[in-house]
Amino acid sequence: MINESVLLESRTLRTSVLERTDVLDRVKALSLLPDGLHVTTAMVAAYYEVTGVVVRALLFDHREELESSGYRVLTGTELSYFKQLGDIPSQVSSLAVFPRRAVLNVGMLLRDSEVARQVRAYLLDAEAEVRTRPVDNFVHRASLGELDERIDNRITDVLGKTVVPMLNALIETSGEQRHELTSLREDIEQIQHRLVEHDLQLSRLQRGQDVRALTGVIGTIDAMTWKEYQQHVAGLLRRDGCTDVEVYGGHGGDRGVDITAKTADGRSVAVQCKNFAPFRHVLSGEMQKFLGSSKVLHQADVALYVATCAFTRESLAIAAQGGVTAVHRGLLEAWSAGVRLQVLR
């Protein structure tokens, strides 16, 4: 088995395991910014139970490596976008953010953190399992799967960030072709969905379908069936003072939402519940569909999209513009642990 000191000293080895960010959730919950994708320097320090000074010193020594893992400092329009999502003071002129890969990278560099040691232990156990596995067709299929996954992710990224926005612009200015363009956009979004499902299947294959069970609140949620998950969210609404809570359970009559309720002060609530895999993202098309259901069909005062995963930047932008509260994995964990959603107060 690889010694921990080798992982600490070898950047090549660290780079080879950067995609295994699921180990972060196995050790403890990682709080995320409202975009569901990034954390601040203070949040990294809190996760590893060290001071911010320690993390900044690590950045000073390994900045180039951490930047290659996704660490960056936001300014200008990017920073403005994060401020619109909330939790970032308006007077802040720059913001350092880490995606999950960079957070994992920090854990492979921190020497004096018990949490970081646990993260490295999970990584080394997984690496040892891979190295000792017999080479057979399963492994070859997994290798091909990794290539397919990269291709799928690239196609999904192009569709979501280029093709769909372009079609949206054309639809806004089109006349008699509006119906055909709208239909084409729906077809493309269906392709996005299929690619995501393909990615999920490949991820399960590559993990050997033997990922260790998560622990704690979010682990319990991940183990729920979709019906149990909906009842869990309904219970959170009742706990926070909502009345007339009704769970539709996907059996029709819901008009595109899973739960309806009334807040304590009488506002109508519409909820979409999605218990996706944690490495999945809620896509823009999914958010657009719920926006129409919650705000147009149900005319809800409060619209909640509650997911066990993160949201893409495009879906978060749609949610912010349409008045939908995006409850991502980290916020769901906090809500489940007793923190009341601000929109329900």
Side-chain angles (χ1 to χ4, degrees):
M1 180 174 176
I2 300 173
N3 187 280
E4 181 185 11
S5 62
V6 178
L7 187 61
L8 286 165
E9 300 299 335
S10 172
R11 178 174 175 177
T12 300
L13 181 55
R14 291 194 295 269
T15 302
S16 71
V17 295
L18 271 179
E19 300 303 325
R20 295 177 181 168
T21 57
D22 57 292
V23 302
L24 297 171
D25 295 312
R26 298 187 205 176
V27 175
K28 60 183 291 191
L30 175 65
S31 298
L32 299 169
L33 287 169
D35 73 333
L37 300 172
H38 297 89
V39 301
T40 63
T41 303
M43 294 163 78
V44 173
Y47 178 83
Y48 286 113
E49 299 176 7
V50 297
T51 66
V53 173
V54 171
V55 177
R56 285 189 286 272
L58 197 71
L59 273 167
F60 182 82
D61 293 334
H62 302 277
R63 188 180 186 92
E64 190 274 329
E65 177 179 346
L66 290 169
E67 285 180 341
S68 69
S69 301
Y71 166 80
R72 57 200 175 109
V73 177
L74 305 179
T75 58
T77 56
E78 282 190 310
L79 179 60
S80 298
Y81 167 78
F82 272 74
K83 287 181 179 179
Q84 291 174 5
L85 297 178
D87 290 353
I88 306 300
S90 58
Q91 65 270 23
V92 170
S93 59
S94 64
L95 180 69
V97 293
F98 300 71
R100 292 172 64 86
R101 293 174 82 251
V103 176
L104 179 60
N105 205 154
V106 169
M108 290 187 279
L109 291 166
L110 275 175
R111 295 179 180 272
D112 299 320
S113 164
E114 182 56 37
V115 176
R117 291 191 185 98
Q118 293 178 40
V119 168
R120 290 194 293 271
Y122 274 112
L123 285 171
L124 293 174
D125 286 346
E127 184 70 11
E129 193 275 332
V130 169
R131 289 173 179 268
T132 57
R133 181 184 300 159
V135 177
D136 57 14
N137 288 334
F138 176 87
V139 175
H140 292 302
R141 289 196 300 273
S143 297
L144 290 173
E146 291 173 359
L147 176 59
D148 288 346
E149 181 180 6
R150 289 195 295 270
I151 294 173
D152 285 354
N153 289 340
R154 179 57 180 160
I155 294 174
T156 303
D157 187 63
V158 171
L159 291 176
K161 294 183 178 180
T162 304
V163 179
V164 171
M166 180 180 66
L167 285 172
N168 288 338
L170 289 172
I171 289 170
E172 290 298 321
T173 59
S174 64
E176 58 186 33
Q177 290 83 23
R178 185 182 185 91
H179 176 74
E180 289 78 5
L181 288 170
T182 302
S183 177
L184 177 59
R185 181 182 65 186
E186 292 175 352
D187 290 341
I188 290 175
E189 288 178 341
Q190 285 297 318
I191 293 173
Q192 283 183 285
H193 288 304
R194 290 171 185 168
L195 288 171
V196 168
E197 293 304 320
H198 187 209
D199 176 54
L200 292 177
Q201 294 174 4
L202 289 171
S203 297
R204 294 190 189 103
L205 177 66
Q206 290 159 17
R207 287 170 174 78
Q209 299 183 0
D210 61 352
V211 176
R212 301 180 187 179
L214 297 176
T215 59
V217 175
I218 199 66
T220 301
I221 295 172
D222 285 333
M224 293 177 181
T225 65
W226 64 269
K227 290 184 179 179
E228 292 170 338
Y229 177 56
Q230 288 184 0
Q231 291 296 335
H232 172 71
V233 175
L236 295 176
L237 293 169
R238 295 187 183 98
R239 185 202 69 194
D240 287 354
C242 291
T243 60
D244 300 332
V245 179
E246 184 172 356
V247 181
Y248 295 97
H251 295 303
D254 60 351
R255 294 193 300 169
V257 303
D258 296 320
I259 303 173
T260 57
K262 292 282 187 181
T263 63
D265 57 5
R267 291 170 294 154
S268 59
V269 181
V271 185
Q272 179 73 268
C273 301
K274 292 297 183 183
N275 59 338
F276 291 142
F279 43 85
R280 160 93 197 258
H281 287 76
V282 175
L283 303 175
S284 59
E286 294 167 325
M287 182 60 73
Q288 288 172 346
K289 182 178 178 181
F290 175 62
L291 179 60
S293 299
S294 60
K295 293 294 186 177
V296 178
L297 295 180
H298 288 268
Q299 297 185 333
D301 299 310
V302 178
L304 302 177
Y305 200 121
V306 186
T308 55
C309 61
F311 294 76
T312 64
R313 179 173 296 185
E314 291 79 10
S315 66
L316 283 173
I318 292 169
Q321 293 169 4
V324 175
T325 299
V327 182
H328 57 74
R329 185 176 180 84
L331 185 55
L332 171 62
E333 181 177 34
W335 189 24
S336 300
V339 177
R340 188 174 180 181
L341 287 183
Q342 185 173 0
V343 73
L344 297 177
R345 295 176 181 175

